[in-house]
Amino acid sequence: MALLEVDNVHAYYGKIQALKDISITVEKGEIVTLIGGNGAGKSTTLKTISGLLRPKEGRILLEGKDITELPAHQIVTTGVVQVPEGRRIFGQLTVTENLDMGGFTCRNKKLIKENIDRVFGLFPRLKERSRQVAGTLSGGEQQMLAMGRAMMTDPKILLLDEPSMGLAPVLVDLIFETIQKLNDAGTTILLVEQNARMALGIANRGYVLQTGVILLADSSENLNKNEMVRKAYMGES
C-alpha cells in the first residue's frame, strides 16, 4: 500500500479543467518529484492533495484511507503538510514564534518544545537566529523556516511547492541539500520544482506534467536520460 495515492483525479478552477485524470503514488520514505512548465498543473496537484482545491472526480488516499472530502485543516492533522510556493512565513514574528505557529494543532507544550528542538537540530542556522524577526532573514533562511514550520506537525508526507524559486544558485544548492537531509531523517516528500535537473538529482521517481496531464512517469534515472525531458526541461538543444 502506498503512503499517498492520487487516483484518477480531475480538478477545475471554475469551468476550466486544471487536472485531467491525474494518478500518482508516493511510497513511504521516497522523494517523488513533479516537473513541468508553468501552468502544467504541478501546484494545483498539491493544492488538491492538501484540500485547498476539491477534485470533481477521483480520490486521494493516505495510507489507504480516503481523505478526499476532508477540509484542509483536518487533512493537516492526518499528516499531510504543505510548504507553499513563496514560503509565506509570518514576517513580523520571530523564528521561534513562526515555529510555534506551525505546531498549532498540538496542545502539548512539552511536545511543541521537543519539536522546536528537533527543527533546530535539522536547521542549526535557524537556532542561531531563533529570536530574529523572520522577515529579516535571507531568502534561503526563510525557506528553511517554512520547511521547519511544516515539520512542527511531524508530517507523514511533506509537500514542497517550488522551494528554489527566487533563490540565488548557491542558495538553491543549500535548499536541495536541506531537502535531502529531511528525507534522510525519515520524511517522505512530494516535491514540485521547475528546476528539473536538481529535482531529479535527489528524487527516487518523477512525473512529468503538461497542461494538467501526466506525460511521463519513471525513475529519476530514466527521466534524466529521456531526450524529451532533457530538451524541454533542462535547456539542452
Side-chain angles (χ1 to χ4, degrees), residues 12-236:
Y12 292 74
Y13 292 112
K15 294 183 179 180
I16 299 173
Q17 187 167 10
L19 299 179
K20 306 168 186 176
D21 200 24
I22 295 290
S23 293
I24 65 174
T25 59
V26 183
E27 302 291 340
K28 186 176 180 180
E30 281 191 310
I31 299 177
V32 174
T33 187
L34 308 180
I35 60 176
N38 288 330
K42 308 185 304 297
S43 295
T44 299
T45 300
L46 295 194
K47 289 178 181 178
T48 305
I49 294 168
S50 298
L52 300 173
L53 182 66
R54 188 73 63 201
K56 287 197 174 181
E57 297 180 44
R59 300 183 304 161
I60 299 165
L61 306 175
L62 182 70
E63 297 179 315
K65 181 180 178 181
D66 193 335
I67 63 171
T68 314
E69 299 298 326
L70 293 181
H73 68 279
Q74 288 186 18
I75 288 177
V76 170
T77 64
T78 69
V80 179
V81 180
Q82 181 171 343
V83 178
E85 180 182 330
R87 300 179 282 276
R88 299 186 190 179
I89 59 168
F90 300 104
Q92 302 302 313
L93 302 183
T94 66
V95 167
T96 299
E97 287 168 341
N98 267 269
L99 296 179
D100 280 334
M101 292 295 288
F104 78 99
T105 60
C106 180
R107 305 299 181 188
N108 187 325
K109 291 185 178 181
K110 181 181 178 182
L111 183 58
I112 290 174
K113 175 62 167 58
E114 290 174 355
N115 284 341
I116 288 177
D117 289 342
R118 184 165 67 96
V119 169
F120 283 159
L122 287 167
F123 304 103
R125 191 171 300 190
L126 295 182
K127 184 175 182 179
E128 295 170 5
R129 291 157 173 74
S130 61
R131 297 183 180 181
Q132 187 170 332
V133 174
T136 65
L137 298 174
S138 71
E141 290 165 350
Q142 289 185 15
Q143 186 63 54
M144 289 182 194
L145 179 56
M147 289 191 284
R149 183 179 60 187
M151 293 300 296
M152 286 294 295
T153 62
D154 194 19
K156 293 177 182 176
I157 183 166
L158 189 63
L159 313 181
L160 296 178
D161 195 356
E162 302 286 5
S164 74
M165 179 175 286
L167 299 182
V170 65
L171 292 178
V172 172
D173 291 341
L174 178 60
I175 289 303
F176 275 90
E177 289 173 9
T178 302
I179 295 169
Q180 186 68 69
K181 183 192 294 187
L182 287 174
N183 184 246
D184 291 343
T187 303
T188 303
I189 294 171
L190 179 58
L191 169 65
V192 160
E193 181 56 57
Q194 284 193 333
N195 190 330
R197 190 182 304 276
M198 294 293 289
L200 292 173
I202 65 169
N204 302 98
R205 297 184 294 112
Y207 295 84
V208 179
L209 275 68
Q210 186 176 73
T211 59
V213 176
I214 293 176
L215 291 183
L216 292 170
D218 211 332
S219 68
S220 291
E221 181 180 2
N222 288 339
L223 289 174
N224 259 317
K225 296 175 182 177
N226 185 283
E227 184 177 358
M228 185 277 286
V229 173
R230 297 182 73 87
K231 287 182 177 179
Y233 304 110
M234 298 184 187
E236 297 188 6

